[in-house]
Amino acid sequence: MLPPLPAPLPPPAHPEQPPSYPGVPGGPDAFALDQLATDAAARAYALLTSGRDPVAELTLWQDAVRIAAARPGSGLTAATRALYSSLASATGRTPVDLARAVAAWRQGGFEALAVLEEPWDPPAGRFDRARPLLMAADFPAFRPWRNHLTHPRGHAQLRLGRNGLWYAYESEPGRDDWWPRGTPDLDPVGALTGLGAPGEL
C-alpha cells in the first residue's frame, strides 16, 4: 500500500519575476515577451491562491485591451506602436480602436470598456437627475441620448455605466471622436473634475 501524499507546499508570497529575455535582431520584442510572461505568472498565481482565473471570462478583444493597458507608460513608443498594431490586427480592429479602448480600460477596467462600447437605455432616476445637478453647478444643459449626456458645444460628454458611475469623455468640437478622460464618479459633476471649471467647459 502506498503512503499518503505529502501536504501541498504553501503558495509563494507573490508571483515570481520571469527571466529576462535578450533582444535578438529579427526576433520577438523582448519587452513584449517579458510583459506576457509576467502576466502569465500573475494569472497562474491568482489561480493557485484563489482557484479562479481573473481574466478567463474576457473575450479575445477584451483580453487584448487588458494586455495593452498593462504596458507601462502612456506614450506611443515604437515598441508600443508595434504591440498595438499586432494586437489590433489579431482582433480585427485598428490601432486607434485599441488606443481608445486602452484609455477606457485605464479609466476603469472592464466596466469602463463596456461604457465605451455599449450604449444602453438607463431607467429613470439617477440619469434624469444628472442634468439638473449639472445646471445647478453652472454647467449648460447637456443633451441626452441613451446613457450619454453631451455638452451643447460637443466637446465634453458624460456616460452613465451600468455600475452607477459616471465616465467623462472629451472630443474636438464637432468631430464626434470621443476619448475617455478623468476618473469615474458617482456624481456627474465630480466626473467632470479635471476637464475644466463650468465656465471653461
Side-chain angles (χ1 to χ4, degrees), residues 27-77:
D29 175 16
F31 190 80
L33 283 176
D34 179 76
Q35 182 179 352
L36 290 173
T38 301
D39 180 64
R43 290 178 65 183
Y45 180 78
L47 190 58
L48 177 66
T49 56
S50 71
R52 59 179 294 273
D53 182 350
V55 299
E57 302 300 319
L58 297 182
T59 66
L60 176 64
W61 167 243
Q62 292 163 348
D63 200 35
V65 173
R66 181 189 68 83
I67 289 170
R71 191 176 188 97
S74 57
L76 280 178
T77 63

Side-chain angles (χ1 to χ4, degrees), residues 16-171:
E16 297 294 330
Q17 289 295 313
S20 60
Y21 299 94
V24 178
D29 175 16
F31 190 80
L33 283 176
D34 179 76
Q35 182 179 352
L36 290 173
T38 301
D39 180 64
R43 290 178 65 183
Y45 180 78
L47 190 58
L48 177 66
T49 56
S50 71
R52 59 179 294 273
D53 182 350
V55 299
E57 302 300 319
L58 297 182
T59 66
L60 176 64
W61 167 243
Q62 292 163 348
D63 200 35
V65 173
R66 181 189 68 83
I67 289 170
R71 191 176 188 97
S74 57
L76 280 178
T77 63
T80 302
R81 280 195 295 272
L83 174 68
Y84 278 33
S85 178
S86 175
L87 288 172
S89 175
T91 55
R93 305 290 186 102
T94 69
V96 173
D97 290 338
L98 182 58
R100 191 188 323 268
V102 164
W105 193 277
R106 289 177 174 166
Q107 185 186 41
F110 175 81
E111 291 285 353
L113 181 61
V115 169
L116 170 70
E117 299 185 327
E118 301 166 11
W120 61 290
D121 296 314
R126 160 165 280 179
F127 187 79
D128 296 328
R129 290 191 297 272
R131 294 178 75 207
L133 288 172
L134 290 166
M135 293 179 73
D138 292 328
F139 288 99
F142 278 51
R143 297 186 309 268
W145 178 79
R146 304 199 72 185
N147 64 318
H148 300 181
L149 290 175
T150 305
H151 192 286
R153 290 207 304 268
H155 66 292
Q157 186 180 86
L158 287 167
R159 298 184 185 186
L160 180 63
R162 294 180 188 271
N163 59 0
L165 295 177
W166 289 97
Y167 297 79
Y169 281 72
E170 283 186 321
S171 173

